[in-house]
Amino acid sequence: MHSAVLFRGQSLSDAEQISLTIQVSTFEDKMPQTPPFTGVFPNSAYNKNLYQTKEEHYGGLYYHDNTLVSGSLEALIQHLVPTVDHYPDRTYIFTFLLSSRLFIHPCELMSKICHLCVDHQRLSDPQADKMRLRKMAPKVLQLLTEWTETFPYDFRDERTMRSLKELTQRLASGDEHYRKAVQQMTQALIRKLTALSQYEEALAKISATATERLAVLKVKPQSVQRDILSICSDPFTLAQQLTHIELERLSYIGPEEFVQAFGQKSQLDNDKNCFSDHKKASNLEAYVAWFNRLSYLVATEICMAVKKKHRARVIEFFIDVARECFNIGNFNSLMAIISGMNMSPVSRLKKTWGKVKTAKFDILEHQMDPSSNFYNYRTALRGATQRSITAHSSREKIVIPFFSLMIKDIYFLNEGCSNRHPNGHVNFEKFWEMAKQVSELMTWKKVECPFERDRKILQYLLTAPVFSEDALCLASYESEGPENNMEKDRWKSLRSSLLNRV
């Protein structure tokens, strides 16, 4: 199912393009204190003229103005591994783990890290200096903790998990303090992976229920079907429940999915597909599918209403819901609702729209206007982000971005800059910028939804029957007859097709 966001008389081609693209800690007191992600990434954008200036070179790593800009893969991996005198900055750990999968599978990276820790740092030597081990073990465990907390889905691969167990067993042997830390880290990882499996099972059940309800709709008269106003007549309550769904689905997206969705192949790595053996971006795709579902649900609710007065009331209700979503900071639901109301089967209902007070809708459309690369929306997003940073309550911390646009930004960053330089070194400056964008989402997706859940409303939003594009068109023509020859031909074709199915 594919939805395009249409502003009256204007096509949002970026959103269409992106939908197509989608289809295609125990030792903290002993560790160096690292700043939070947001705001600490290098600010410089990708600059093709960078290499005309003098650079500093340290063991295969190249710096410009004290910022790491490139390096060989081996040197970058070595920089990730702690030593007695070195622990990588937290932003480097996140950026490298995010981008490294373009060049090396996580299980291979974990194996290399094990080798560097055990052999190079002589952790396998039974006669190794106990003081050295005491200095090394907390640092290695901290690195592994950051990896398992931020990229837990890497450990769904048995090979990655096996290497993790081998390394942690070495670190924990003979020291009860380290053994407890390893146990805590492992238990937290297993909880996250278990929650992911349960989430995937829940999505499958929701999808099956929605399919069953759609089948029932096809054989029952529309008049006996419930509509959104019979389930919830308060726009603020519905906006709250939409926010519940958004935050839950957002929370299960792994940061690595943004890289894996667009960069399964590295041109200078023999076109080796690092992720042919497991799901690449299933949670990201499920979130995009939710956006499409909500758009079609809005259009369905409007088109299935038999009386013009009721259709107008449903439209005004969704306008109010969209406004409440904007106030909450839920821009994804806001855009999905606008998308649904601007689908052709809805926008053509001129008699219905004639009864709608559209002033509030015009304001919302202005806020989400795609012109100037969504300048108005990006300004509103910055405002919501600032509010979130200074928030005193969970309610004020909510920031749910227009997701397809965020994906588009990352996609074009990925397409616009090469992963490697001509000398084979990894273009790390590109990945600083990518990590900066993804890290914002990492902050937003951790927000706990402060609103009370309403199971009845949530169930309706997730499983209510949604019309196909053809069914929407047919319902629209039956509500307000075709106005020109093209619409008449379309109506006849749809009715004929429906009769043939029967």
Side-chain angles (χ1 to χ4, degrees), residues 359-462:
K360 289 183 286 187
F361 189 53
D362 293 339
I363 293 170
L364 292 173
E365 281 197 316
H366 176 72
Q367 287 290 347
M368 305 304 282
D369 185 348
S371 62
S372 301
N373 195 18
F374 287 88
Y375 176 82
N376 294 339
Y377 158 69
R378 293 183 191 276
T379 301
L381 180 64
R382 283 195 298 273
T385 302
Q386 190 58 41
R387 180 186 70 182
S388 178
I389 293 170
T390 59
H392 298 292
S393 66
S394 297
R395 165 70 177 76
E396 295 174 315
K397 289 181 181 178
I398 297 171
V399 181
I400 304 171
F402 173 29
F403 196 65
S404 289
L405 184 61
M406 180 180 179
I407 295 171
K408 188 206 77 168
D409 290 342
I410 296 173
Y411 173 75
F412 283 115
L413 172 63
N414 185 63
E415 291 295 301
C417 310
S418 61
N419 291 338
R420 291 186 189 259
H421 293 301
N423 65 357
H425 282 189
V426 174
N427 178 7
F428 211 73
E429 191 178 16
K430 166 184 174 176
F431 297 119
W432 281 128
E433 186 61 33
M434 186 176 290
K436 186 177 179 180
Q437 293 187 27
V438 174
S439 70
E440 281 194 314
L441 185 72
M442 295 292 290
T443 301
W444 297 333
K445 77 174 197 167
K446 290 178 181 177
V447 174
E448 293 280 338
C449 190
F451 308 123
E452 186 176 347
R453 294 173 68 92
D454 187 310
R455 294 182 65 86
K456 184 173 71 171
I457 298 174
L458 289 171
Q459 181 76 1
Y460 187 87
L461 289 169
L462 292 168

Side-chain angles (χ1 to χ4, degrees), residues 51-100:
Y51 291 91
Q52 295 175 3
T53 62
K54 185 179 178 181
E55 291 183 339
E56 298 176 274
H57 171 217
Y58 299 98
L61 300 178
Y62 289 82
Y63 291 80
H64 178 73
D65 292 339
N66 295 318
T67 298
L68 176 62
V69 293
S70 71
S72 68
L73 182 60
E74 288 302 320
L76 292 168
I77 293 173
Q78 288 190 14
H79 190 60
L80 179 72
V81 178
T83 66
V84 171
D85 304 313
H86 163 72
Y87 187 80
D89 183 80
R90 191 182 183 195
T91 55
Y92 175 79
I93 294 172
F94 178 74
T95 304
F96 182 74
L97 290 177
L98 178 70
S99 58
S100 63

Side-chain angles (χ1 to χ4, degrees), residues 82-293:
T83 66
V84 171
D85 304 313
H86 163 72
Y87 187 80
D89 183 80
R90 191 182 183 195
T91 55
Y92 175 79
I93 294 172
F94 178 74
T95 304
F96 182 74
L97 290 177
L98 178 70
S99 58
S100 63
R101 61 203 67 242
L102 290 170
F103 313 102
I104 181 172
H105 195 288
C107 74
E108 295 176 50
L109 178 60
M110 178 58 77
S111 179
K112 280 183 176 287
I113 288 174
C114 286
H115 173 73
L116 288 169
C117 288
V118 173
D119 293 347
H120 288 204
Q121 298 303 317
R122 305 195 299 279
L123 295 185
S124 60
D125 183 359
Q127 303 303 318
D129 182 6
K130 289 185 179 180
M131 182 65 71
R132 179 186 181 81
L133 183 61
R134 279 200 293 270
K135 288 180 178 179
M136 278 294 299
K139 292 183 177 183
V140 175
L141 283 174
Q142 177 71 11
L143 173 65
L144 297 177
T145 299
E146 292 204 37
W147 190 345
T148 55
E149 285 181 351
T150 313
F151 299 91
Y153 304 164
D154 286 347
F155 298 88
R156 294 187 98 180
D157 187 303
E158 293 179 3
R159 297 165 295 177
T160 316
M161 184 65 90
R162 194 182 311 121
S163 294
L164 175 68
K165 288 179 180 177
E166 289 174 4
L167 181 53
T168 52
Q169 283 172 1
R170 285 187 183 276
L171 294 172
S173 60
D175 193 307
E176 183 64 25
H177 188 55
Y178 298 154
R179 196 155 42 239
K180 285 183 179 178
V182 167
Q183 188 178 27
Q184 289 173 357
M185 179 187 72
T186 305
Q187 288 174 345
L189 174 60
I190 291 172
R191 280 196 299 271
K192 287 191 175 186
L193 296 180
T194 301
L196 175 62
S197 296
Q198 292 171 343
Y199 169 69
E200 290 173 341
E201 290 173 8
L203 285 185
K205 288 180 181 177
I206 288 169
S207 178
T209 303
T211 302
E212 289 171 8
R213 295 191 65 182
L214 182 59
V216 170
L217 176 66
K218 289 178 179 179
V219 297
K220 282 189 177 181
Q222 288 186 20
S223 58
V224 302
Q225 297 299 319
R226 305 184 74 179
D227 68 356
I228 189 66
L229 290 176
S230 69
I231 301 296
C232 176
S233 58
D234 177 35
F236 187 49
T237 300
L238 191 69
Q240 290 178 337
Q241 300 312 304
L242 288 171
T243 303
H244 264 295
I245 296 171
E246 297 280 357
L247 285 174
E248 180 183 47
R249 300 217 170 186
L250 203 58
S251 72
Y252 283 99
I253 298 174
E256 72 282 357
E257 293 190 43
F258 291 96
V259 174
Q260 291 165 194
F262 303 129
Q264 293 121 37
K265 292 184 179 180
S266 178
Q267 293 179 353
L268 295 178
D269 285 331
N270 300 318
D271 280 344
K272 179 182 178 183
N273 189 335
C274 293
F275 292 91
S276 58
D277 59 340
H278 68 92
K279 295 175 183 176
K280 297 183 286 294
S282 56
N283 300 302
L284 185 150
E285 290 165 358
Y287 193 40
V288 172
W290 154 249
F291 178 95
N292 288 338
R293 173 182 168 77

Side-chain angles (χ1 to χ4, degrees), residues 1-6 16 19 23 214 217 228 242 288-305 314 318 332-333 335-346 460-461 463-473 475 490:
M1 187 179 288
H2 166 61
S3 68
V5 185
L6 299 176
E16 293 179 321
S19 288
Q23 292 168 9
L214 182 59
L217 176 66
I228 189 66
L242 288 171
V288 172
W290 154 249
F291 178 95
N292 288 338
R293 173 182 168 77
L294 180 55
S295 296
Y296 274 81
L297 178 63
V298 169
T300 299
E301 292 288 336
I302 296 168
C303 289
M304 69 187 280
V314 173
F318 276 119
N332 202 54
S333 287
M335 185 57 94
I337 292 169
I338 291 176
S339 169
M341 288 195 287
N342 280 300
M343 284 183 185
S344 178
V346 178
Y460 187 87
L461 289 169
T463 64
V466 170
F467 287 177
S468 67
E469 198 160 337
D470 284 351
L472 282 173
C473 288
R490 175 78 168 135

